[in-house]
Amino acid sequence: MTSKEIFAEIKKKRSFLCVGLDPVLEKLPRHLQKEKDPVYVFNKIIIDQTIDQAVAYKPNLAFYEAMGPKGLDILQKTLEYLPADVFTIADAKRGDIGNTSSLYARAFFEKMNFDAITVAPYMGEDSVTPFLKFDGKWVILLALTSNQGSQDFQMITDEKQKPLFVTVLEKSKVWGNSENMMYVVGATRVSHIQTVRQLVPDHFLLVPGVGAQGGSLEEVARAGMNAQCGLLVNSSRGIIYASSGEDFGLAAKKEAQSLQVAMEELLNTYC
Amino acid sequence: MTSKEIFAEIKKKRSFLCVGLDPVLEKLPRHLQKEKDPVYVFNKIIIDQTIDQAVAYKPNLAFYEAMGPKGLDILQKTLEYLPADVFTIADAKRGDIGNTSSLYARAFFEKMNFDAITVAPYMGEDSVTPFLKFDGKWVILLALTSNQGSQDFQMITDEKQKPLFVTVLEKSKVWGNSENMMYVVGATRVSHIQTVRQLVPDHFLLVPGVGAQGGSLEEVARAGMNAQCGLLVNSSRGIIYASSGEDFGLAAKKEAQSLQVAMEELLNTYC
């Protein structure tokens, strides 16, 4: 998928919403538990109800690996259920020595046909570049994450007061380009999104940690949007667990619609 | 498994060898290809032939994920085939926000019953500590890897000229202790192993990047061994692909034996 195609989808849906498909069996609505394959049924309903608002879907691999081998079957079926024009992200945070990263790349890009995979930068260039050798596929590199632990190493400054996440951006942006790399940038500090946008003006950013609060979404858009939108904002639990009852699908839709309305306004203003 | 139990195994086998079980279907000896489950048969023969010399086995998850859902079945069967007294390491290099790391921990420690998992430190404390909540289970945190890309970020120095991998050690060693944490330290620079050993005198170190060369193994032992050995030295391709013919099992055994002989001498000298 090209950035043009992603932007076309954003313009069509007037939204830059990414839905995190992170199901936990015990948390699914009780009426689904009697289904033969409750997680897959849940995913299908979430997709059906959010497909008009979501331009991307991001299953986190941990949720499927925790179910054992059948979890990967559910993931594969879920991917096949998604229409080809949405962007699919394997949130896997992989990264290993070169030949091993190549195997992960084949697993996610060829076997499972994901469009993108999240990758951790700690092991450096030769752990990332094997993922960049697949036409139309994307690496989404962790730059600044939204958890508390992001302070431990990502914010460490070097002799020139430059935080590690900035060095990660500066070094990695020449490994690929804005057609095969994106960055994960947490929404916890807007000034950081500004810093990132200056360093990589054309790259898409995947932003977790935004609630349904119009406020922070507005700040993220103001700091991070570029002429092709350049943002995918993720919501997982806020959408998929909007209700725990039989109406979970409609509740998810309502949540996605409310985000879409806010996003449309931001696209009109900043893009 | 406790460090005492690991050390007991080391004393029994007079070896601190870890065998990397990283099979690639196309690289397996041709006569195995006609088997119903060639990768599992390969793993079993490698285990049979190296079990007298190896105290640990380390399957890298990428090799199994690249085979799709059936790869995880093969991994599970391989794990069940391994005797309980060897230490099993999921080389998975995971790490995610807290609740997601918990799911990975359940997948690897409870579903698959691994003793240990390798974890990447970039996301900080709350991405690592969920793995430390399982009795008798271990986190093996990436400190300094052996690939070229380790220079990109792990060696970046802060205002006090301290490289990132040292900060990772200093911060993380208080998250757990020498009974639930080990570190990955590449064997490419012996001075670094000395640095690591000073910072974590009691922790086990998992050392990749040592060939069959007695030389570097000797240097690693001199710099890294402590009173309970404190080292697990990994060899993957050097053992499992020692021969590509029908004699691959015996060739693997010969390779493991030659490493064991060198290791026994080093245990006599330094431990």
Side-chain angles (χ1 to χ4, degrees), chain A residues 122 125-126 143 147 152 157 159, chain B residues 122 125-126 143 147 152 159:
Chain A
Y122 192 71
E125 180 170 2
D126 55 3
N147 61 321
D152 289 327
T157 49
E159 295 99 328
Chain B
Y122 192 71
E125 180 170 1
D126 56 1
N147 62 320
D152 289 327
E159 295 100 326

Side-chain angles (χ1 to χ4, degrees), chain B:
Chain B
M1 210 165 186
T2 65
S3 69
K4 221 172 181 173
E5 288 168 324
I6 300 170
F7 187 43
E9 193 73 2
I10 290 171
K11 283 189 288 189
K12 193 178 84 185
K13 295 183 174 167
R14 305 302 301 154
S15 164
F16 44 98
L17 176 63
C18 175
V19 173
L21 288 174
D22 304 341
V24 177
L25 186 58
E26 305 87 70
K27 283 195 193 169
L28 301 193
R30 206 187 294 170
H31 73 285
L32 290 185
Q33 308 279 353
K34 64 178 191 301
E35 297 281 346
K36 201 182 140 214
D37 195 347
V39 174
Y40 178 54
V41 173
F42 177 81
N43 281 355
K44 276 206 303 186
I45 293 173
I46 293 288
I47 292 166
D48 288 346
Q49 296 294 342
T50 57
I51 194 71
D52 291 339
Q53 289 79 37
V55 297
Y57 287 86
K58 180 177 75 60
N60 187 307
L61 267 286
F63 291 78
Y64 300 87
E65 290 187 4
M67 296 183 247
K70 81 167 185 303
L72 292 192
D73 279 325
I74 294 169
L75 178 61
Q76 188 66 62
K77 283 196 293 179
T78 301
L79 269 175
E80 283 160 16
Y81 187 72
L82 281 165
D85 50 5
V86 296
F87 188 65
T88 53
I89 303 166
D91 195 359
K93 302 187 176 72
R94 299 298 196 265
D96 208 313
I97 55 171
N99 65 332
T100 310
S101 275
S102 297
L103 282 169
Y104 278 131
R106 277 171 54 192
F108 288 105
F109 292 154
E110 291 184 347
K111 288 246 165 191
M112 294 195 254
N113 201 24
F114 273 104
D115 294 309
I117 179 174
T118 58
V119 174
Y122 192 71
M123 292 181 70
E125 180 170 1
D126 56 1
S127 71
V128 176
T129 47
F131 291 102
L132 296 171
K133 300 202 168 112
F134 294 75
D135 260 3
K137 304 291 187 180
W138 297 75
V139 161
I140 309 183
L141 197 66
L142 302 186
L144 188 58
T145 57
S146 55
N147 62 320
Q148 183 62 36
S150 65
Q151 301 299 308
D152 289 327
F153 306 121
Q154 298 166 26
M155 297 303 296
I156 285 178
T157 50
D158 67 7
E159 295 100 326
K160 293 174 183 162
Q161 302 299 318
K162 191 189 293 173
L164 177 61
F165 82 90
V166 169
T167 308
V168 166
L169 283 159
E170 287 178 347
K171 286 206 175 184
S172 65
K173 69 180 186 177
V174 300
W175 301 342
N177 54 57
S178 61
E179 278 303 321
N180 62 9
M181 283 191 88
M182 303 185 182
Y183 290 96
V184 172
V185 186
T188 40
R189 286 272 292 276
V190 172
S191 64
H192 294 146
I193 298 184
Q194 283 168 329
T195 305
V196 173
R197 186 42 88 208
Q198 281 167 4
L199 287 164
V200 286
D202 302 324
H203 287 64
F204 263 91
L205 309 180
L206 173 64
V207 183
V210 172
Q213 320 92 320
S216 70
L217 185 62
E218 206 276 333
E219 288 184 357
V220 167
R222 186 149 35 103
M225 222 176 243
N226 65 18
Q228 295 211 28
C229 179
L231 293 176
L232 295 171
V233 168
N234 185 71
S235 174
S236 301
R237 282 170 286 184
I239 289 179
I240 68 174
Y241 298 135
S243 160
S244 58
E246 295 202 18
D247 64 339
F248 76 96
L250 289 174
K253 186 187 192 65
K254 215 173 138 187
E255 201 58 47
Q257 280 174 328
S258 121
L259 283 164
Q260 183 277 323
V261 168
M263 286 174 173
E264 177 159 14
E265 209 178 299
L266 296 168
L267 283 164
N268 291 337
T269 311
Y270 298 111
C271 178

Side-chain angles (χ1 to χ4, degrees), chain A residues 86-156:
Chain A
V86 296
F87 188 65
T88 53
I89 301 166
D91 195 358
K93 303 188 175 72
R94 298 297 195 263
D96 207 313
I97 56 171
N99 65 331
T100 310
S101 275
S102 298
L103 281 169
Y104 277 130
R106 276 171 53 193
F108 289 104
F109 292 156
E110 291 183 348
K111 287 244 165 190
M112 294 194 256
N113 202 26
F114 274 103
D115 293 310
I117 178 174
T118 57
V119 174
Y122 192 71
M123 292 182 69
E125 180 170 2
D126 55 3
S127 71
V128 176
T129 48
F131 291 101
L132 296 171
K133 299 201 168 109
F134 294 74
D135 260 5
K137 303 291 185 179
W138 298 74
V139 161
I140 309 183
L141 197 67
L142 303 186
L144 188 59
T145 57
S146 56
N147 61 321
Q148 184 61 37
S150 65
Q151 302 298 308
D152 289 327
F153 306 120
Q154 299 166 26
M155 297 302 296
I156 285 178

